[in-house]
Amino acid sequence: MGYLEKLNPQQREAVQHTEGPLLILAGAGSGKTRVLTCRIAYLIEHCGVRPWNIMAITFTNKAAGEMRERVDGLVGMGSEAIWVSTFHSSCCRILRRYIDRIGYDNSFTIYDTDDSRQVMKAVIKELELNPKIYKEKALLGKISAAKNNLVSPDEMEADASRWEEKQTARAYRAYQKRLKKNNALDFDDLLVLAVELFEKAPDVLESYQERFRYILIDEYQDTNTVQFRFVKLLAEKYRNICVVGDDDQSIYKFRGANIMNILNFEKSFPGAKVIKLEQNYRSTQSILDAANEVISNNSGRKEKKLWTDNGQGTRVRFREFQTGYDEAEFVAGEIAKKVREENRSYRDYAVLYRTNAQSRLFEEKMIAADIPYKLVGGVNFYSRREIKDMLAYLKTVDNGLDDLAVQRIVNVPKRGVGATSLARVQNYALENGISFYEALQDADRIPGLGRSLNGIRKFTTLIGRLRAAGREYLNVREILEMIISETGYVAELEEEGTDEDKARIENINELVSKTADYMEQAENPSLSEFLQQVSLVADIDSVDPDGDYVLLMTLHSAKGLEFDYVYMTGMEENTFPSYMAVSGEDSEELEEERRLCYVGITRARKELTMTAAQMRMVRGEPQFLRASRFVREIPRDLIELEGETTDTRNFMKPPEVSMDRIMKFGTVGAERGYGSFGSRPVRSPRGQAGNHYSLNQFRVQKADHLDYQEGDRVRHVKFGDGTVQNIKDGGKDYEVTVDFDTCGVKRMFASFAKLKKI
DNA sequence: CGTAGTTTTGTTTTT
DNA sequence: CAAAACTACG
């Protein structure tokens, strides 16, 4: 009972408004998870709602796990009957049970992005599309967008006017056909087919409507059209739907998220109650001020302003460096120092960036500084080659119709079955309308296989043995171990013994322990269920809250998390906001980037540091960059620069001169769209010199000539003397290669290297 | 058939 | 600067 008293009035109202549609507009850090969990407890304890009548949908499995844990603590008995999961897992669970009603087999497998690409490649070949024009990635993107908007291949074709659109629709249809033939669904299908199931089988829908009388949706601002449809169908009958979201944190438009779902909630569910949570319990006022300032540049928001009584805290720090290298060194160095000297933990820190590609430098510096870290995202554990191989074996054992899995491993490890033989088998399968695996079993009857036949036999007997073992006495872990030993996969890696191979063995061992974990945790474990669970995990799900390490991740992955100390890195135009968003004519995209920035800022509890580099390598090319507009949208007096004191902002010299001012009158000229920002009073247009953001030069000037040439002896401050080997005009700067006497050949940029002829 | 080397291509963000 | 896709050779 005590939990109600701990809530503020708005939170309590949200918990107690149990009947009818409810929209909770929850600003960052306003305690929405607490509201959701208390609400569940309240429903059960005070309203007599039975646990199995409640469904809660979260964005990631991690969030689901955390919520489940907190609900367990509050409710105790029976809480396991509550469905707490992601959209994808919920749909998957429903489909596992009923998908046969719409013509699929209940033992379907789930394809990841990589698998989908393989399928699409085959489709492009089949339809004889010009691969120069129709890239599988682009096609898949369009198909995914269509699915998220519940557009079928037929509808797409009907809407198509241009030739290419017609072709895309054809590809879409062929792709679906292939998936179905393989008894596979892609990520989007999980949602689309669940909706299709509900629409085609009213009795199934009805049974779920009866079951889920109280529905709660977290991160509602990131739902897309299919998800909305799914929720709407489920909630239609009892209308006890509670959604929590923050339009300012909508950052998944590229994935089809429809911000209208939250903005129009009251229209979709007439009579909806709306409650705003604006008190922030997470961050300091300084951090919130910065966040509020940045986000206020967006239009079409639901007006709200976060406040806190946590106290002012220190100002947001901004540091600019010459290169991304220096930036990473600073971040790593500072974390190492603070942990050492101020008794902080690594887990208090997060390093955020816009794209995964930026993680490399940080990783390197973390290793150099001996800082334990965890990289979230990037190459997913389950998409590593060795893991995919192992999973392909498991999938083949589980579902013989999954051609893709079979094709992946027929010849792994090498069994002497090459591309030509595989093509023959494929043909045979096609002609006889059977699956690839069935064709392999028929290999004797396929002409022209020659030596491959042996390998194929080896393969099919192995799979046969595995299947028999699985049916009779082995569990998931044991099957995997059998695969490992029978194929000699690990043994082969051990022989090679390079670092990479060792890492692969590690990964395989990790997979084995994951199967062991699964065996312990599952109620009635099955291979299919294991594979399904595995394909729906996000990288963030594996972050252990007790682990003491610095987290490195994209701003997107950071959503829903919080840290004492946050570094937002790569705060440069064209990096963040990304080049795509800046050059695109669509201002929507820029607003989404700004929301992403808002998400980033509000992750910080105590201290936020923004960093930027003046130059970084992008695609092997040096790029010269200037500070992000988002930094400049934070008023100058909320920012602390290098060399300034850390304490309160009252000491700040020129008050209320904000950064966009500086941009207008300062070094870099106003660019497109820049002049249109709000009209803060101009105090001193000339005051820019003193409060310039960077203590360094803003832009690197390319020298019009160099006072040394190839063959000359030069001196470098750090590397000493050397001979110039090569000078290349890189457009914005000269790239100089020097062979140093003491430390060998280095390549550098003339304007940074400051080489002196001797 | 398998491998090693070469060329090309490409970048947001993720369940 | 990668990874992926191709190509040519053993």
Side-chain angles (χ1 to χ4, degrees):
Chain A
M1 246 279 264
Y3 56 82
L4 276 182
E5 278 92 68
K6 288 187 195 139
L7 301 173
N8 70 33
Q10 293 78 26
Q11 291 177 327
R12 198 172 312 131
E13 193 184 0
V15 166
Q16 293 180 317
H17 184 91
T18 56
E19 307 299 306
L22 169 66
L23 165 63
I24 305 173
L25 284 171
S30 60
K32 65 183 168 112
T33 314
R34 176 190 269 190
V35 168
L36 282 177
T37 48
C38 287
R39 189 181 158 87
I40 293 174
Y42 186 83
L43 281 170
I44 295 172
E45 286 181 3
H46 290 262
C47 311
V49 175
R50 289 161 304 181
W52 57 87
N53 288 139
I54 300 173
M55 173 191 230
I57 293 189
T58 59
F59 201 69
T60 62
N61 293 299
K62 182 167 183 274
E66 280 166 10
M67 183 173 298
R68 159 136 282 147
E69 219 165 276
R70 288 167 75 164
V71 172
D72 280 349
L74 242 44
V75 183
M77 279 282 286
S79 70
E80 66 286 339
I82 307 169
W83 272 36
V84 186
S85 56
T86 64
F87 273 107
H88 291 266
S89 323
S90 312
C91 290
C92 190
R93 204 162 151 189
I94 292 168
L95 290 173
R96 267 295 163 223
R97 193 146 166 205
Y98 291 111
I99 200 172
D100 54 332
R101 301 284 296 273
I102 50 171
Y104 282 77
D105 189 294
N106 289 43
S107 65
F108 61 84
T109 50
I110 300 166
Y111 276 2
D112 64 20
T113 331
D114 222 56
D115 302 325
S116 299
R117 273 184 65 192
Q118 297 300 120
V119 175
M120 186 48 81
K121 257 190 226 161
V123 167
I124 290 172
K125 234 186 228 149
E126 178 194 317
L127 300 185
E128 292 177 325
L129 296 172
N130 181 354
K132 285 267 179 268
I133 302 169
Y134 299 95
K135 313 263 186 208
E136 73 262 13
K137 253 182 128 179
L139 284 172
L140 285 169
K142 284 183 186 146
I143 291 172
S144 175
K147 287 182 177 179
N148 285 327
N149 286 312
L150 282 168
V151 175
S152 68
D154 290 340
E155 287 164 330
M156 188 190 243
E157 185 155 48
D159 288 347
S161 50
R162 285 182 303 130
W163 170 252
E164 298 96 79
E165 289 170 346
K166 292 251 187 255
Q167 296 306 307
T168 307
R170 272 182 74 211
Y172 181 7
R173 186 174 297 117
Y175 172 78
Q176 280 318 105
K177 201 172 149 199
R178 265 175 193 264
L179 285 184
K180 192 159 184 182
K181 184 174 140 283
N182 290 359
N183 196 23
L185 312 191
D186 67 16
F187 284 133
D188 302 319
D189 284 338
L190 290 170
L191 304 163
V192 174
L193 293 179
V195 168
E196 190 182 322
L197 171 70
F198 282 167
E199 284 173 344
K200 289 194 178 154
D203 56 315
V204 174
L205 172 60
E206 164 108 29
S207 72
Y208 280 108
Q209 285 174 333
E210 282 300 324
R211 163 133 199 202
F212 301 124
R213 298 188 188 190
Y214 292 86
I215 299 173
L216 300 88
I217 317 274
D218 194 11
E219 307 283 11
Y220 188 69
Q221 75 281 357
D222 284 319
T223 52
N224 59 35
T225 303
V226 215
Q227 292 167 334
F228 173 76
R229 197 71 235 251
F230 176 78
V231 171
K232 177 120 205 233
L233 283 166
L234 272 181
E236 225 156 36
K237 187 157 183 186
Y238 286 95
R239 292 179 30 97
N240 294 321
I241 173 163
C242 165
V243 304
V244 186
D246 178 0
D247 50 312
D248 288 333
Q249 292 189 67
S250 165
I251 55 173
Y252 281 102
K253 181 155 176 265
F254 72 94
R255 206 168 75 187
N258 189 347
I259 197 163
M260 285 307 155
N261 287 345
I262 193 161
L263 296 178
N264 288 341
F265 183 80
E266 295 145 272
K267 289 204 187 90
S268 320
F269 292 94
K273 167 104 186 154
V274 181
I275 296 174
K276 284 187 186 179
L277 304 180
E278 292 176 304
Q279 179 172 4
N280 173 295
Y281 295 94
R282 179 187 297 156
S283 312
T284 65
Q285 191 63 50
S286 291
I287 290 167
L288 290 186
D289 287 347
N292 281 331
E293 285 290 341
V294 170
I295 200 66
S296 69
N297 290 290
N298 272 5
S299 55
R301 330 163 30 226
K302 295 215 173 203
E303 200 49 50
K304 67 184 105 49
K305 244 195 165 89
L306 291 180
W307 61 277
T308 185
D309 52 23
N310 281 352
Q312 192 63 45
T314 56
R315 286 175 292 159
V316 173
R317 303 189 303 157
F318 178 65
R319 298 284 183 275
E320 195 175 30
F321 301 90
Q322 288 199 334
T323 67
Y325 198 80
D326 301 323
E327 178 190 39
E329 198 158 81
F330 166 78
V331 173
E334 204 173 78
I335 294 174
K337 184 164 172 263
K338 294 285 185 183
V339 170
R340 209 178 331 111
E341 292 174 1
E342 301 190 21
N343 195 28
R344 296 178 186 172
S345 299
Y346 293 115
R347 74 164 73 82
D348 300 334
Y349 285 88
V351 179
L352 309 181
Y353 35 77
R354 177 68 240 266
T355 63
N356 281 308
Q358 288 163 255
S359 68
R360 277 190 90 93
L361 290 174
F362 291 103
E363 243 189 311
E364 278 171 26
K365 294 298 175 189
M366 293 285 155
I367 292 170
D370 220 14
I371 297 173
Y373 68 91
K374 178 164 170 77
L375 187 75
V376 179
V379 227
N380 191 304
F381 177 77
Y382 292 102
S383 54
R384 309 225 162 115
R385 191 173 74 205
E386 60 281 11
I387 300 302
K388 288 214 78 174
D389 286 343
M390 289 300 119
L391 292 178
Y393 268 101
L394 289 174
K395 280 182 183 170
T396 305
V397 174
D398 186 50
N399 167 18
L401 295 180
D402 187 349
D403 288 0
L404 216 62
V406 180
Q407 281 161 2
R408 185 182 176 95
I409 48 160
V410 225
N411 200 33
V412 176
K414 303 270 174 294
R415 283 184 256 264
V417 187
T420 24
S421 306
L422 289 181
R424 288 211 171 91
V425 177
Q426 175 78 79
N427 254 335
Y428 180 88
L430 227 57
E431 277 164 19
N432 294 283
I434 56 176
S435 75
F436 192 83
Y437 186 74
E438 286 166 318
L440 285 178
Q441 287 177 311
D442 264 8
D444 308 329
R445 280 185 239 154
I446 307 175
L449 286 185
R451 298 155 278 298
S452 313
L453 195 58
N454 238 323
I456 292 175
R457 283 236 187 77
K458 260 198 237 160
F459 178 71
T460 49
T461 43
L462 172 62
I463 296 297
R465 285 221 310 286
L466 288 166
R467 280 188 184 162
R471 260 195 310 275
E472 282 159 30
Y473 54 95
L474 296 187
N475 66 33
V476 181
R477 197 195 84 231
E478 291 162 330
I479 293 176
L480 178 59
E481 280 169 343
M482 182 167 163
I483 291 168
I484 292 168
S485 61
E486 298 268 321
T487 57
Y489 196 102
V490 169
E492 202 172 88
L493 289 171
E494 272 167 355
E495 256 171 61
E496 297 284 329
T498 66
D499 284 354
E500 202 188 339
D501 295 321
K502 280 182 196 151
R504 290 188 197 286
I505 296 172
E506 282 281 295
N507 289 335
I508 291 177
N509 287 335
E510 174 130 16
L511 183 66
V512 174
S513 56
K514 277 184 203 293
T515 57
D517 288 348
Y518 168 75
M519 292 307 300
E520 273 179 31
Q521 151 250 308
E523 279 172 41
N524 38 0
S526 73
L527 186 46
S528 323
E529 198 196 44
F530 173 72
L531 288 169
Q532 155 189 330
Q533 238 178 54
V534 149
S535 51
L536 294 180
V537 296
D539 213 36
I540 192 77
D541 297 336
S542 65
V543 172
D544 172 8
D546 300 324
D548 190 21
Y549 37 61
V550 176
L551 280 183
L552 267 45
M553 64 191 149
T554 62
L555 287 150
H556 281 90
S557 306
K559 185 167 94 157
L561 307 177
E562 51 184 295
F563 305 90
D564 282 353
Y565 307 100
V566 169
Y567 289 86
M568 287 175 75
T569 67
M571 298 298 296
E572 305 121 22
E573 287 292 300
N574 293 351
T575 308
F576 185 38
S578 76
Y579 176 74
M580 289 296 197
V582 174
S583 56
E585 55 281 0
D586 176 3
S587 70
E588 284 277 296
E589 257 182 286
L590 201 82
E591 298 215 338
E592 176 140 323
E593 297 275 314
R594 192 173 284 111
R595 290 193 290 269
L596 190 56
C597 183
Y598 176 80
V599 168
I601 296 173
T602 52
R603 295 311 92 196
R605 283 193 282 246
K606 295 186 180 156
E607 194 176 277
L608 174 70
T609 307
M610 294 184 167
T611 63
Q614 292 175 325
M615 188 220 70
R616 67 172 73 240
M617 298 301 252
V618 179
R619 256 192 3 277
E621 291 275 287
Q623 295 273 302
F624 294 85
L625 306 155
R626 55 202 187 76
S628 168
R629 68 189 70 192
F630 299 146
V631 180
R632 302 190 308 256
E633 283 167 7
I634 304 172
R636 175 66 181 84
D637 60 333
L638 290 177
I639 291 210
E640 183 243 288
L641 294 179
E642 176 94 67
E644 292 177 355
T645 47
T646 330
D647 49 331
T648 85
R649 64 170 101 143
N650 301 332
F651 294 114
M652 288 311 302
K653 299 141 260 178
E656 282 190 48
V657 176
S658 68
M659 270 311 127
D660 47 338
R661 257 333 102 224
I662 291 164
M663 290 319 295
K664 266 185 209 156
F665 304 102
T667 22
V668 186
E671 56 178 27
R672 224 175 69 76
Y674 224 79
S676 58
F677 285 155
S679 46
R680 293 198 191 96
V682 187
R683 287 282 167 83
S684 132
R686 321 186 96 264
Q688 78 274 40
N691 46 15
H692 197 296
Y693 258 169
S694 166
L695 294 181
N696 313 316
Q697 287 286 65
F698 218 31
R699 194 191 277 288
V700 186
Q701 205 61 51
K702 175 185 167 182
D704 39 26
H705 77 287
L706 298 173
D707 50 12
Y708 45 84
Q709 48 187 321
E710 288 177 27
D712 281 351
R713 294 285 294 166
V714 289
R715 178 164 296 160
H716 184 273
V717 240
K718 200 155 136 208
F719 303 133
D721 297 354
T723 314
V724 179
Q725 285 191 325
N726 181 280
I727 298 177
K728 196 177 126 212
D729 191 339
K732 286 192 175 136
D733 197 1
Y734 292 103
E735 216 177 301
V736 189
T737 314
V738 184
D739 184 4
F740 288 105
D741 304 340
T742 47
C743 46
V745 180
K746 298 245 188 267
R747 229 169 48 177
M748 53 192 62
F749 291 98
S751 45
F752 292 141
K754 310 223 168 55
L755 296 165
K756 281 245 158 56
K757 189 176 171 182
I758 45 175

